[in-house]
Amino acid sequence: MESDTYHHGNLKKALITTGLEILSEKGIEGLSLRKVARRVGVSHAAPYNHFSDKQALLAAISTEGHKQLYETLFRIFDSMKHASEDILLEIAWAYLQFAVEDPGRFKLMFSGALDEESKHPEFVEIASKNIALLEAIIQFCKEDGRLPAEALEIAAIKLWSSVHGFTSLVLEDQFPPEYMQAHQLRELLKAVVSP
Amino acid sequence: MESDTYHHGNLKKALITTGLEILSEKGIEGLSLRKVARRVGVSHAAPYNHFSDKQALLAAISTEGHKQLYETLFRIFDSMKHASEDILLEIAWAYLQFAVEDPGRFKLMFSGALDEESKHPEFVEIASKNIALLEAIIQFCKEDGRLPAEALEIAAIKLWSSVHGFTSLVLEDQFPPEYMQAHQLRELLKAVVSP
DNA sequence: CGCCGAATATTGACACTGTCAATATACAGA
DNA sequence: TCTGTATATTGACAGTGTCAATATTCGGCG
């Protein structure tokens, strides 16, 4: 599958993963089409055979990020189903870690560098999968009986809003610096996810 | 104060307000130093006499946005001190409206186009002013006695996180489209701000 | 008034970017 | 093998952020 022929083989995938690399190293400002192409070892216009736009590449990278987030959260959920600890807190903490460990990726995913993510069907799919996972987690946490569907959706939105908002504000340095140490953050997060 | 002399007079302020204009019209991608300069009627390098960087101009614009947000929320708070309605909901609603009515401005303020906002002292000042306002609002809503300081800070962070997260996710089209009508949004928001 | 330094604005250049048209190369099936 | 299609390259274009060199204006001092 790997070759250095004239035809790259699977340039599309290579562009996405290399894009994630550069995103992680240089942040969102440092991510250019030409840089990705150069890194992959291909001419500056080659990406246009696979992506109509820079926007299209960014959307693909963002989608890949959402898949990674899903994987991360799902793994946590799965590994804690039989533990007694506070699952919601661990999920929220994982969300925060996901953002902090690679801010560029998180910002691309959520900070509107994309104009119309909802035009890309792959993106819509993984986004709703993430919501469904959240709902499953919440359902699981209510030991005493299931919630009605509507309440479940609302609870999921509440939880996601809180955790996402907290994470965004942390990432953007919007809190006073004395809150910004790890164990402080964890305490705050506990308050944020508690009802 | 207004003149079309060689020296503009107060180019710095003009650049900021014109920047906000373009931001509102073309969004964050469509905002360039040169476009702002052209619109103000000044050469493409003139801004460098007042801002060391594009980043510096963006930071100033962002700071101005935070001031507008403070004004907006303060007005709501002030006008509702003697009303019986749900202040928290109205504040949250105003926050959401502020974002929706000018997404470019909101994204610049919160979506990490800035690298190190906390280096600009004016920004730090208005940011903490905004937190203080939130705390005052929460304090006011607890009719039965004051909260201890620590609980107050935590409550403010909880509230801000929820509302900000909800707003961001709405702005980024992360929710299923059936949630996206105004009265639906208001219902959801009510759930988000309720304890 | 006239002069001079400081503040401010302009011009021109540079490397970099996204995008497109024209061209070249490689692959897959007849 | 030949041919069409998919893929990659090259070269161009306008637009960008930034900087150095230059020009213009302002404020204060004589």
Side-chain angles (χ1 to χ4, degrees):
Chain A
M1 223 47 75
E2 307 282 328
S3 60
D4 49 352
T5 63
Y6 188 90
H7 281 42
H8 178 281
N10 49 5
L11 180 54
K12 186 166 183 173
K13 187 150 296 183
L15 289 170
I16 294 175
T17 69
T18 303
L20 274 166
E21 266 179 43
I22 297 183
L23 198 53
S24 164
E25 296 168 16
K26 323 266 184 189
I28 206 167
E29 300 281 290
L31 178 63
S32 74
L33 258 189
R34 290 171 105 107
K35 232 177 270 180
V36 177
R38 209 176 305 138
R39 186 104 124 210
V40 171
V42 98
S43 79
H44 64 261
Y48 282 86
N49 288 296
H50 304 273
F51 300 100
S52 62
D53 245 352
K54 187 188 185 186
Q55 283 289 320
L57 173 56
L58 291 183
I61 297 176
S62 170
T63 301
E64 183 60 28
H66 281 273
K67 286 183 187 166
Q68 294 177 357
L69 177 58
Y70 178 86
E71 280 303 315
T72 303
L73 296 187
F74 182 82
R75 229 186 300 277
I76 301 270
F77 178 44
D78 203 53
S79 75
M80 293 195 71
K81 268 181 177 164
H82 303 293
S84 59
E85 318 191 35
D86 185 348
I87 294 191
L88 285 192
L89 176 57
E90 293 310 320
I91 290 289
W93 184 250
Y95 195 96
L96 179 61
Q97 291 309 306
F98 180 85
V100 167
E101 92 188 9
D102 194 337
R105 175 184 55 182
F106 187 83
K107 287 178 186 173
L108 175 62
M109 290 166 62
F110 290 110
S111 294
L114 289 302
D115 280 320
E116 9 176 79
E117 300 179 275
S118 42
K119 298 267 317 207
H120 305 265
E122 238 201 344
F123 176 85
V124 174
E125 188 195 335
I126 184 65
S128 68
K129 218 173 147 192
N130 271 324
I131 293 198
L133 176 59
L134 261 194
E135 291 179 352
I137 293 172
I138 290 178
Q139 189 70 278
F140 180 83
C141 291
K142 309 280 179 184
E143 312 111 288
D144 43 285
R146 314 246 126 194
L147 288 173
E150 195 197 355
L152 183 59
E153 287 178 354
I154 291 183
I157 287 186
K158 271 183 75 164
L159 176 64
W160 192 14
S161 293
S162 304
V163 176
H164 179 74
F166 184 76
T167 300
S168 302
L169 293 173
V170 167
L171 227 57
E172 296 304 323
D173 271 15
Q174 300 277 350
F175 293 137
E178 61 265 27
Y179 294 163
M180 289 297 204
Q181 296 119 28
H183 86 282
Q184 277 275 18
L185 287 181
R186 183 136 174 144
E187 285 307 307
L188 287 173
L189 195 54
K190 193 182 292 183
V192 164
V193 298
S194 84
Chain B
M1 225 47 76
E2 307 281 327
S3 61
D4 51 351
T5 64
Y6 188 91
H7 280 43
H8 178 281
N10 49 6
L11 180 55
K12 185 166 184 173
K13 187 150 296 182
L15 290 170
I16 294 176
T17 70
T18 303
L20 274 166
E21 266 180 44
I22 297 182
L23 198 52
S24 165
E25 295 167 17
K26 322 267 184 186
I28 206 166
E29 301 281 290
L31 178 63
S32 75
L33 257 189
R34 290 171 106 108
K35 233 177 269 180
V36 178
R38 209 175 305 138
R39 185 105 125 210
V40 171
V42 99
S43 80
H44 65 259
Y48 282 86
N49 288 297
H50 304 273
F51 299 100
S52 62
D53 245 349
K54 186 188 186 186
Q55 283 288 321
L57 173 57
L58 292 183
I61 297 176
S62 170
T63 301
E64 184 61 28
H66 281 274
K67 286 182 187 166
Q68 294 177 356
L69 177 58
Y70 178 86
E71 281 303 314
T72 302
L73 298 187
F74 182 82
R75 229 186 300 277
I76 301 271
F77 178 44
D78 203 52
S79 76
M80 293 196 71
K81 270 181 176 164
H82 304 291
S84 60
E85 318 190 36
D86 186 348
I87 294 192
L88 284 192
L89 177 57
E90 293 309 321
I91 289 288
W93 185 251
Y95 195 96
L96 180 61
Q97 292 309 306
F98 180 85
V100 167
E101 92 188 7
D102 194 337
R105 175 184 55 182
F106 187 83
K107 287 179 186 172
L108 174 62
M109 290 166 62
F110 290 111
S111 294
L114 290 302
D115 279 320
E116 9 175 79
E117 299 180 275
S118 41
K119 298 261 327 201
H120 305 266
E122 238 200 345
F123 175 85
V124 174
E125 188 194 334
I126 185 65
S128 66
K129 219 173 145 192
N130 271 324
I131 293 198
L133 176 58
L134 261 194
E135 290 180 352
I137 294 172
I138 291 178
Q139 189 70 277
F140 179 84
C141 292
K142 308 281 179 185
E143 311 112 289
D144 42 286
R146 315 247 126 194
L147 288 172
E150 195 198 354
L152 183 58
E153 288 178 352
I154 290 183
I157 287 186
K158 271 183 76 164
L159 177 64
W160 191 14
S161 293
S162 303
V163 175
H164 179 74
F166 184 76
T167 300
S168 302
L169 293 172
V170 167
L171 227 57
E172 297 304 323
D173 271 13
Q174 300 277 348
F175 293 137
E178 61 266 25
Y179 293 164
M180 289 297 203
Q181 296 120 26
H183 86 283
Q184 276 276 16
L185 286 180
R186 184 140 173 140
E187 285 307 307
L188 288 172
L189 195 54
K190 194 182 293 185
V192 164
V193 299
S194 83

